[in-house]
Amino acid sequence: MDTSSGVGVIDKAALILNALEAGPTSLAQLVSLTKISRPTVHRLAQALVHHRLVGKDIHGRFVLGGRLVELASAAGEDRLIAAAGPLLIQLRDSTGESTQVFRRQGDYRVCVASAERPVGLRDTIPVGTQLSMKAGSAAQVLLAWEDHERLLDGLHGARFTPTILAGVRRRGWAQSLGEREPGVASVSAPVRGPSGRVIAAVSMSGPIERLSRQPGKAHQEVVVQTANALTEALRKTGD
């Protein structure tokens, strides 16, 4: 499908923003992902930084800018959050455990939607909570489909291994046991945007004593179904 609008500079800027959807990106990575010449990518990226449509992280890598968040807020509902609400409630009710959707923001993953188990011992993660990208099944999912350079960078200091991430890609879901917090288990699956990229992770979490030491065995199917339903909802609203 031809994605060109016929206005070259806008098309190139859009390619840059699309490339940043997956997370922090170096100039070399932008050149590789967009197939635009290095001088042009640098010039356009710096112009986007000037207008706050693109920012830079502490390592000097390009990231989506704060102005995009402001514009999205002004435009109305966030499609992911709006679609996630009822699906997380269904997942919570079917599993009896707390459920969340995480997005990656720089070196962290942020809870953007949640449905908590109403009573009893539970894993409470309020909306807006920032958690490490170095531990937990959602972090595994958000990292597993990254390109090679980002994958290596993300594995530095992580509590999971390349072998674990290879398993996540093969199965299409992840599990963790006490990685993020002692005594807590979780199962996560990827949510993909209209372009096919992994943009979020659906998770369910709770105490190991209830979920067992093989939480994926019991819950991976319904978690994957929920993530797929959210992916399909985003695809429909993106048509």
Side-chain angles (χ1 to χ4, degrees):
M1 182 180 66
D2 183 11
T3 58
S4 171
S5 69
V7 182
V9 69
I10 298 298
D11 291 339
K12 289 183 175 70
L15 284 172
I16 291 170
L17 293 174
N18 288 338
L20 297 178
E21 182 181 6
T25 308
S26 69
L27 180 60
Q29 288 174 319
L30 276 182
V31 172
S32 175
L33 290 167
T34 63
K35 311 303 181 187
I36 303 170
S37 70
R38 187 182 183 92
T40 300
V41 166
H42 184 262
R43 177 171 55 85
L44 290 177
Q46 289 300 131
L48 291 168
V49 169
H50 176 78
H51 290 288
R52 296 179 55 240
L53 296 170
V54 168
K56 289 188 176 182
D57 68 8
I58 60 173
H59 303 294
R61 298 172 297 184
F62 294 102
V63 295
L64 292 175
R67 182 61 180 148
L68 292 175
V69 177
E70 296 166 1
L71 291 171
S73 177
E77 291 182 322
D78 180 299
R79 291 184 294 134
L80 174 65
I81 295 172
L87 291 171
L88 287 183
I89 291 172
Q90 291 175 19
L91 180 60
R92 177 199 65 190
D93 292 346
S94 65
T95 62
E97 302 296 344
S98 298
T99 59
Q100 309 89 26
V101 170
F102 291 95
R103 270 178 171 162
R104 183 173 184 175
Q105 290 185 8
D107 293 330
Y108 296 93
R109 54 185 170 102
V110 178
C111 179
V112 298
S114 68
E116 290 187 7
R117 175 186 168 95
V119 295
L121 186 62
R122 58 190 181 272
D123 184 32
T124 300
I125 304 176
V127 171
T129 301
Q130 286 189 334
L131 297 175
S132 171
M133 277 293 296
K134 303 297 185 181
S137 63
Q140 294 175 27
V141 164
L142 292 171
L143 186 61
W145 283 271
E146 291 279 26
D147 63 43
H148 183 67
E149 188 174 337
R150 284 183 179 144
L151 195 63
L152 291 179
D153 184 56
L155 282 166
H156 184 69
R159 297 195 63 187
F160 41 79
T161 66
T163 300
I164 288 174
L165 294 189
V168 172
R169 289 191 297 273
R170 184 179 67 253
R171 295 190 307 265
W173 55 271
Q175 67 177 5
S176 67
L177 296 170
E179 271 188 15
R180 171 178 59 84
E181 185 175 338
V184 173
S186 67
V187 181
S188 298
V191 177
R192 297 180 183 273
S195 69
R197 283 188 174 179
V198 174
I199 62 168
V202 166
S203 296
M204 56 85 61
S205 59
I208 292 175
E209 62 189 52
R210 270 203 312 266
L211 271 66
S212 81
R213 301 198 67 81
Q214 291 185 307
K217 186 174 182 180
H219 300 292
Q220 57 89 7
E221 185 174 355
V222 68
V223 174
V224 169
Q225 287 174 350
T226 302
N228 289 345
L230 187 48
T231 294
E232 181 63 16
L234 294 177
R235 187 192 67 78
K236 288 180 178 178
T237 57
D239 286 344

